[in-house]
Amino acid sequence: MDWNGHIAIVTGAASGIGAGIAECFAEAGAEVVVADINERLGAQVTADLRARYGKGLFVKTDVSQAADCRRLMDETLAAYGRIDTLVNNAGVNFVKPTLEMDEADWDRVVDVDMKGTFLCSRYALEAMVARRSGNIINIASVHTVATLPAAAPYAASKGGVDMMTRSMAIEFAPYGIRVNAVSPGLTDTQIWADLQEAAEDAEQARQHWMDNIPLGRVQAPREVGNVVLFLASEQSSYVTGANIFTDGGMTAQLINRERFASKPVEGKTPGD
Ligand SMILES: NC(=O)c1ccc[n+]([C@@H]2O[C@H](COP(=O)([O-])OP(=O)(O)OC[C@H]3O[C@@H](n4cnc5c(N)ncnc54)[C@H](O)[C@@H]3O)[C@@H](O)[C@H]2O)c1
């Protein structure tokens, strides 16, 4: 696919997965709008993209604020005249026992991860409907199908994003607009660094995660970016309302068979 002249907005692109997605677009030849609440890192990532690929525009954006999301679309349209792809990637992870959580904890996660996805989509869709073409890709998570204790707002948000994806896919299919989700598993970003640092024994924690990932490794942000590019391209022209997992097989696995160490029993499935 020729990405020249393709306009892609990536929210939360100042670090981690978003930065990886932005790099994949710029490297392919697309124009990339880096939208992030973190001005310092956002400007840094954008300067780097400009130096290496001659692409990149930074728009400081808090995706939980409707006015910011509208301004992000306005500034993109002023600079490039249209929006081909919106990647809703900005997100915050949060783990806290439910009984210690207050309303502000809930709002902080849901406002960014779920409401932010809605608000950016809502304002981008105005421009996409007018042109009768466009593409929205929501970065969800393995938490759309399985989750962990003390992750209620995060799991609720990601589950919500999955269903929002399907609803918008149906609503905007008549306009030639596709809406899909990508659900990453463990990805090498600050979240993974924090998880290891928070563990009493970082090596044991790392091994525990690897035991639960059939491919046995953490993925690079660009591996998510490659799936996003596929969904933004003509190669996926009949794909809409989908949730594509890039999780090394994590959600396919019922239990780690090696650890289970049971002998096969004919006619019986372990776990039944
Ligand atoms: N890292 C993983 O293992 C993993 C796994 C599954 C899903 N995800 C999802 O991928 C996405 C990116 O996560 P990451 O691991 O790269 O995290 P990250 O913390 O490295 O990046 C998140 C980015 O979002 C930005 N952001 C936060 N709040 C914002 C707001 N209100 N408005 C605009 N930008 C905001 C941050 O400044 C940051 O640049 C998130 O939606 C996350 O839930 C991550």
Side-chain angles (χ1 to χ4, degrees), residues 11-18 35-38 61-64 89-93 112-113 139-142 154 158 184-192:
T11 70
S15 70
I17 293 175
D36 204 287
I37 198 168
N38 188 323
T61 312
D62 178 349
V63 298
S64 69
N89 164 79
V92 288
N93 196 349
V112 178
D113 294 16
I139 305 304
S141 167
V142 287
Y154 187 73
K158 294 300 184 180
L186 193 60
T187 313
D188 196 3
T189 70
Q190 194 55 46
I191 290 177
W192 173 227

Side-chain angles (χ1 to χ4, degrees), residues 35-261:
D36 204 287
I37 198 168
N38 188 323
E39 202 161 4
R40 187 182 58 81
L41 283 181
Q44 205 172 300
V45 162
T46 309
D48 185 49
L49 291 176
R50 292 204 72 82
R52 283 192 294 151
Y53 309 109
K55 313 281 180 193
L57 170 74
F58 176 60
V59 180
K60 187 179 183 226
T61 312
D62 178 349
V63 298
S64 69
Q65 303 297 315
D68 272 30
C69 298
R70 186 186 275 281
R71 193 173 43 77
L72 167 62
M73 304 313 155
D74 288 347
E75 289 194 21
T76 302
L77 291 169
Y80 302 111
R82 65 170 199 277
I83 302 162
D84 293 303
T85 298
L86 165 68
V87 184
N88 286 306
N89 164 79
V92 288
N93 196 349
F94 181 67
V95 176
K96 193 175 186 182
T98 297
L99 296 182
E100 291 171 21
M101 235 181 258
D102 58 24
E103 191 179 352
D105 291 327
W106 171 270
D107 287 347
R108 197 167 61 82
V109 180
V110 176
D111 280 1
V112 178
D113 294 16
M114 186 157 66
K115 190 172 87 172
T117 297
F118 169 76
L119 289 173
C120 286
S121 302
R122 189 244 170 274
Y123 294 114
L125 278 162
E126 277 182 7
M128 291 177 177
V129 165
R131 288 189 64 243
R132 288 190 139 53
S133 92
N135 216 309
I136 295 180
I137 297 145
N138 297 323
I139 305 304
S141 167
V142 287
H143 286 257
T144 53
V145 291
T147 190
L148 296 166
Y154 187 73
S157 298
K158 294 300 184 180
V161 165
D162 184 23
M163 289 312 294
M164 193 192 314
T165 300
R166 297 177 204 209
S167 179
M168 287 188 182
I170 300 163
E171 185 176 353
F172 294 97
Y175 300 94
I177 297 164
R178 295 189 291 118
V179 186
N180 290 290
V182 173
S183 282
L186 193 60
T187 313
D188 196 3
T189 70
Q190 194 55 46
I191 290 177
W192 173 227
D194 292 346
L195 275 173
Q196 292 175 92
E197 205 181 299
E200 272 173 31
D201 182 335
E203 179 48 34
Q204 195 183 34
R206 201 194 69 81
Q207 193 53 52
H208 179 72
W209 278 94
M210 293 313 122
D211 284 347
N212 285 286
I213 302 170
L215 285 183
R217 64 177 178 85
V218 61
Q219 79 181 324
R222 285 186 57 120
E223 293 182 277
V224 181
N226 289 334
V227 179
V228 169
L229 248 69
F230 164 69
L231 285 171
S233 79
E234 294 300 317
Q235 305 295 320
S236 61
S237 50
Y238 202 57
V239 182
T240 198
N243 181 12
I244 298 185
F245 288 81
T246 170
D247 68 352
M250 189 195 274
T251 52
Q253 180 170 262
L254 195 58
I255 194 166
N256 185 324
R257 187 63 192 237
E258 300 287 313
R259 294 246 158 169
F260 203 119

Side-chain angles (χ1 to χ4, degrees), residues 4-22:
N4 254 320
H6 186 100
I7 316 300
I9 299 173
V10 184
T11 70
S15 70
I17 293 175
I21 296 168

